[in-house]
């Protein structure tokens, strides 16, 4: 769909009309093709402007069409027809010109952008490359190095940067469309050939091969197994080494390969899943009552430890005024220094002024009486949190929303000490809270829909991917992590080393293996929790044999490591040896190998050769199995929620779509068969027992992921 109008006598104005982002659907492509043909044929038309309605130029190809057979005119000849025509065509870019939208603009002879507009080629983030000439025209326009950077990262650039780079010709604070119409008249009769990018050569610096080789090395290192960034470099190389038509041929070949890949499917799934999880308040039918978010202008954070500081910074950056509370003057001053430093550092990077004026610091809880929403972030200790919540319930205004930042404590128990349990909700931030994109919003059994909507809305304002989860131990992310960690420890007992397990997981695409992550977070955290749970330490039931605790298999290896004072990076030693205390360079440690060997001898374990396939199956399938149980228990809205939690909070490689998507790709029968096998070998590990949902799905022919909900016995009962 494209509207056609003749304006100012001789200018044809073509307007893309496909809300909300004017994606290039079959109908839009047909509309543009017809409108351009008409404009080029009409002798009264001397120049053309292409724009988009509702202040958006174009959000690119219609991603929803990728899964369907192609219909309508293809993009490449459509864009070529614009470029090859003998009338100047000007793109008026407002809002965004992304992907195919920017490629369309690159086929135009001139580009005018509004100062608030952004442009970019984000295809790589969808597992693809810009295959409507983007990889061939952009290097010809702005040169090799900047084009490589934009195409391989998919980074969006502002209009100002686009002007500097030469992507657009003019930027205006007024209407880009009006300026483009005026400009289109001014350029009538000017030579068009230099403006036709396909006829130009890519500017080639003398060290072109080095630039390309370095880009390839950088991309391979960063991609963690993703194929699209590598293909992007190959396509841009063609823009340098080959004539335009041959370069286009190469671009098409690479695209055909990527388009069919499971990685592209995974990344496109993530695109929609990310948007779907944010819609809880609109889509969930499981609750009744008002689910409109409440306005929040003034918030408070209790406790300025690691989490509280990050949360405070995130709130201030989103423009909220914040009251920050600590127990005493010393802690308060320390917190203040850190928060100010973080905000200043951040503002410096963005070339902005830090909003220190939005903060008020106090040790007096009564100063919270005007705040709309309070986030408690004190130590992870139920008794302390209860004490704080009791006080909050008496000092805050009656309708203030009370949030607890906890990584797994029972939200209902906490809510029960207040006078208003319906206003209590869990907000599980991930450290560092001002950086990490994930937020688990925990619905207690009495949290009202309005309060849930408020927390979700706040998450959105903070730029988080917010996922609603149920109130169960560890919520969703940490609950699924337990079987994964257990399996990693069992593998060490049976013959693996930390570097072997981590190597397999990193090869899979995690930025860090499980043992490196544990070293980074500090091994003492889990140790303390295990002591409190009576799994290790003096309170262990002496009747429980050493490698069985509370009736199930238990690995004391992490406890043994901690007992040696190896607490991870901070002590310079953990599962690995570090260059210095606090250092980050991990090397395998012979002392750990010795500890493992001694342990096996002591317990009569004959070490086995363990391959990466077993590592992946045992760690990942155990985690996935718990994911099915989470769904079965109604603790997540659907597989998309679980997947987004893992992609945004736990380093699951995005090009593998998240654990539940990955299970579907591997094939549910295979996941079930391997779980059954490992369960037979390790009958004392309950989490290897396949979940009943997984069994039911397999019996029913392994339906696609979006149909799994139909097989739940208690759909969404907890949310
Ligand atoms: N194709 C199909 N649908 C698209 C789309 C596209 N290229 N871009 C956005 N949409 C849809 C979204 O799925 C969403 O649909 P929903 O309302 O049913 O959930 C809707 O348009 C609005 O998008 P959203 O991202 O929620 O809005 P926004 O204003 O925050 O952002 C964009 C708008 C254009 C910046 C953002 O959607 C985007 O980056 N889109 C993808 C661009 C891209 O990768 N293009 C290359 C395609 S190869
Ligand atoms: P985390 O890593 O979860 O953020 P920290 O131990 O780093 O935990 O921080 C908890 C912070 O909470 C500490 O700075 C502590 O002083 C503060 N705190 C503890 N109890 C209270 C309370 N009752 N009121 C305000 N702050 C508190």
């Amino acid at each position: 769909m494209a509207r056609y109008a003749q304006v100012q006598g001789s200018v044809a104005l073509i307007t893309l009309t496909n809300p909300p982002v004017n994606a290039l659907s079959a109908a839009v492509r047909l509309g543009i093709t017809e409108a351009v043909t008409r404009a080029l044929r009409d002798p009264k038309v001397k120049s053309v402007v292409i724009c988009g309605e509702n202040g958006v130029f174009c959000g690119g190809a219609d991603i929803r069409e990728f899964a369907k057979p192609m219909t309508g005119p293809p993009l490449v000849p459509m864009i070529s027809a614009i470029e090859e025509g003998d009338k100047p065509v000007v793109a008026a870019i407002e809002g965004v010109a992304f992907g195919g939208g920017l490629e369309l603009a690159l086929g135009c002879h001139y580009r005018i952008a509004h100062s608030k507009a952004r442009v970019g080629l984000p295809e790589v983030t969808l597992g693809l490359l810009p295959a409507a000439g983007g990889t061939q025209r952009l290097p010809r326009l702005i040169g090799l190095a900047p084009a490589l950077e934009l195409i391989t990262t998919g980074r969006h650039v502002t209009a100002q940067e686009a002007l500097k780079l030469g992507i657009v010709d003019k930027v205006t604070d007024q209407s880009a469309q009006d300026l483009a119409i005026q400009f289109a008249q001014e350029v009538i009769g000017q030579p068009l050939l230099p403006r036709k990018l396909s006829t130009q050569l890519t500017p080639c610096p003398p060290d072109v091969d080095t630039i390309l080789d370095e880009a390839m090395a950088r991309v391979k290192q960063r991609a963690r197994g993703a194929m699209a960034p590598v293909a992007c470099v190959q396509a841009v190389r063609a823009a340098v080494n080959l004539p335009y038509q041959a370069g286009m041929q190469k671009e098409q070949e690479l695209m055909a390969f990527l388009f069919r890949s499971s990685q592209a499917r995974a990344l496109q799934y993530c695109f929609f899943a990310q948007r779907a999880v944010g819609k809880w308040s609109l889509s969930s039918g499981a609750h009744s009552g008002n689910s409109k978010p409440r306005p929040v202008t003034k918030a408070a954070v209790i406790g300025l430890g690691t989490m509280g500081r990050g949360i405070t910074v995130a709130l201030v950056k989103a423009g909220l005024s914040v009251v920050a509370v600590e127990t005493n003057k010393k802690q308060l001053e320390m917190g203040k220094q850190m928060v100010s430093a973080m905000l200043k550092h951040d503002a410096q990077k963005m070339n902005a002024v830090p909003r220190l004026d939005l903060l008020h610091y106090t040790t007096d809880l009564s100063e919270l009486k005007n705040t709309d929403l309070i986030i408690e972030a004190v130590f992870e200790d139920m008794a302390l949190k209860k004490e704080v919540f009791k006080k909050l319930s008496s000092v805050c205004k009656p309708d203030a929303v009370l949030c607890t930042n906890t990584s797994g404590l029972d939200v209902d128990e906490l809510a029960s000490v207040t006078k208003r349990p319906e206003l209590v909700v869990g907000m599980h931030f991930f450290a560092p809270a001002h950086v990490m994109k994930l937020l688990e919003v925990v619905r207690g059994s009495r949290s009202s829909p309005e309060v849930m909507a408020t927390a979700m809305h706040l998450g959105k304002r903070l730029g988080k991917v917010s996922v609603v989860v149920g109130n169960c131990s560890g919520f969703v992310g940490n609950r699924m992590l337990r079987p994964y960690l257990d399996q990693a420890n069992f593998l060490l007992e049976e013959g693996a080393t930390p570097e072997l397990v981590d190597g397999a997981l990193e090869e899979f695409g995690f930025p860090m293996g499980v043992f490196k992550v544990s070293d980074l977070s500090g091994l003492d955290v889990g140790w303390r929790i295990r002591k409190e749970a009576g799994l290790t330490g003096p309170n262990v039931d002496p009747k429980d044999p050493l490698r069985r605790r509370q009736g199930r298999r238990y690995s004391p290896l992490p406890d043994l490591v901690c007992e040696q004072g190896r607490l991870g990076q901070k002590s310079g030693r953990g599962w690995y040896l570090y260059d210095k205390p606090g250092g980050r360079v991990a090397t395998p440690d012979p002392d750990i190998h010795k500890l493992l060997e001694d342990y096996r001898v002591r317990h009569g374990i004959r070490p086995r050769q363990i391959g990466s396939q077993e590592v992946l199956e045992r760690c990942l399938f155990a985690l996935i199995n718990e994911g099915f149980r989470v769904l079965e228990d109604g603790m997540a809205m659907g597989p998309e929620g679980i997947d987004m939690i893992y992609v945004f909070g736990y380093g699951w490689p995005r090009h593998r779509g998240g654990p539940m998507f990955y299970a579907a790709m591997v094939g549910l029968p295979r996941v079930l068969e391997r779980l059954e096998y490992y369960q037979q070998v390790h009958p004392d590990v309950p989490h290897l027992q396949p979940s009943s949902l997984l069994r039911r799905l397999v019996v029913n022919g392994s339906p696609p992921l979006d149909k799994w909900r139909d097989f739940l016995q208690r759909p969404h009962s907890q949310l």
Side-chain angles (χ1 to χ4, degrees), residues 280 283-288 443 449 637 715-719:
W280 174 87
S283 63
S284 171
H287 57 263
S288 54
R443 180 160 204 197
M637 290 295 296
H716 307 153
S717 58
Q718 307 305 305
L719 303 176

Side-chain angles (χ1 to χ4, degrees), residues 302-309 325-327 331 365 377-380 384 387-388 391 405:
I302 321 268
L304 291 177
T306 319
M307 296 308 294
R309 293 194 293 263
V325 187
E326 257 295 345
T327 38
Q331 291 290 109
L365 273 185
V378 304
F379 305 121
E380 189 78 339
L384 174 64
E387 191 188 310
V388 172
K391 282 190 199 147
N405 170 62

Side-chain angles (χ1 to χ4, degrees), residues 518-557:
S518 302
D519 275 356
L520 175 68
S521 329
L523 303 184
D524 49 331
V525 184
W527 194 27
R528 201 186 61 226
I529 294 171
R530 291 193 298 278
K531 279 188 209 155
E532 280 163 14
L535 289 165
T536 188
N539 298 331
V540 175
D541 177 358
K543 289 199 288 296
D544 251 352
L546 187 60
R547 294 176 54 242
R548 280 178 72 85
R549 294 286 155 81
Q550 299 173 0
R552 60 184 65 179
R553 181 170 169 189
Y554 177 79
S555 172
L557 279 174

Side-chain angles (χ1 to χ4, degrees), residues 284-577:
S284 171
H287 57 263
S288 54
N290 178 12
S291 62
K292 281 221 179 71
R294 297 219 190 139
V296 176
T297 47
K298 192 164 183 175
V301 177
I302 321 268
L304 291 177
T306 319
M307 296 308 294
R309 293 194 293 263
I311 296 169
T312 306
V313 169
L315 290 166
V316 170
K317 278 174 62 185
L320 281 106
S321 84
V322 181
V323 183
V325 187
E326 257 295 345
T327 38
N328 56 53
K329 284 262 175 309
K330 191 168 157 240
Q331 291 290 109
L332 190 69
E333 190 50 37
M334 219 163 70
K336 181 175 176 179
Q337 301 280 335
M338 306 274 272
V339 168
S340 305
M342 284 156 80
L343 281 169
K344 281 180 193 155
H345 178 77
D346 220 82
Q348 204 175 15
K349 273 200 306 198
M350 317 269 294
N351 217 357
V353 182
R355 296 295 315 271
L356 303 180
D357 56 307
L358 288 172
L359 275 152
H360 173 70
Y361 294 89
T362 181
T363 54
D364 181 4
L365 273 185
S366 69
E367 291 197 39
L368 302 189
K369 53 180 180 295
N370 293 324
T371 46
D372 307 308
L373 179 142
I374 296 99
I375 303 178
E376 164 280 308
V378 304
F379 305 121
E380 189 78 339
D381 172 333
M382 181 54 94
L384 174 64
K385 283 185 188 274
K386 277 183 172 168
E387 191 188 310
V388 172
F389 265 67
K390 255 190 223 156
K391 282 190 199 147
L392 287 177
S393 152
S394 57
V395 296
C396 297
K397 59 182 182 182
D399 58 350
V401 177
L402 306 179
C403 312
T404 173
N405 170 62
T406 165
S407 57
L409 295 180
D410 185 345
V411 174
D412 287 340
E413 189 176 340
L414 204 52
S416 70
V417 302
T418 70
K419 293 177 207 143
R420 39 185 126 157
E422 71 286 358
L423 296 184
V424 175
V425 58
M427 284 184 115
H428 179 200
F429 286 87
F430 289 71
H434 59 303
V435 177
M436 290 290 285
K437 291 275 280 178
L438 178 65
L439 178 67
E440 282 186 330
V441 176
V442 190
R443 180 160 204 197
S445 59
R446 292 160 79 182
S447 315
S448 74
E450 191 185 11
V451 158
M452 290 301 293
T454 308
M456 289 296 281
H457 186 67
L458 179 65
K460 195 164 189 180
R461 281 174 75 186
L462 302 184
K464 306 289 179 202
V465 174
S466 312
V467 185
V468 175
V469 298
N471 179 34
C472 56
S473 170
F475 309 134
V476 170
N478 287 346
R479 169 172 164 178
M480 289 170 61
L481 205 62
R482 278 182 212 136
Y484 168 85
L485 291 171
D486 278 355
Q487 287 299 325
N489 291 327
F490 297 158
L491 286 163
L492 294 191
E493 293 188 337
E494 293 163 34
T497 57
E499 50 278 16
L500 183 134
V501 174
D502 282 358
L505 294 168
E506 286 164 18
E507 182 69 20
F508 179 78
F510 282 97
M512 272 186 179
V514 52
F515 293 107
K516 283 196 193 131
V517 174
S518 302
D519 275 356
L520 175 68
S521 329
L523 303 184
D524 49 331
V525 184
W527 194 27
R528 201 186 61 226
I529 294 171
R530 291 193 298 278
K531 279 188 209 155
E532 280 163 14
L535 289 165
T536 188
N539 298 331
V540 175
D541 177 358
K543 289 199 288 296
D544 251 352
L546 187 60
R547 294 176 54 242
R548 280 178 72 85
R549 294 286 155 81
Q550 299 173 0
R552 60 184 65 179
R553 181 170 169 189
Y554 177 79
S555 172
L557 279 174
D559 305 330
L560 297 179
V561 172
C562 288
E563 280 163 20
Q564 298 202 350
R566 308 183 66 112
L567 302 182
Q569 279 188 12
K570 60 183 164 193
S571 62
R573 298 178 322 149
W575 292 107
Y576 292 89
L577 191 61

Side-chain angles (χ1 to χ4, degrees), residues 20-21 23 59-64 66 96 98-99 118 122-123 126 271-272 275 279:
V21 300
D62 188 336
I63 306 168
R64 287 178 211 277
F66 289 174
V96 300
F98 286 161
R118 288 173 302 147
E123 284 85 346
L126 297 168
F271 177 85
F272 290 114
R275 282 156 180 79
K279 293 190 176 155

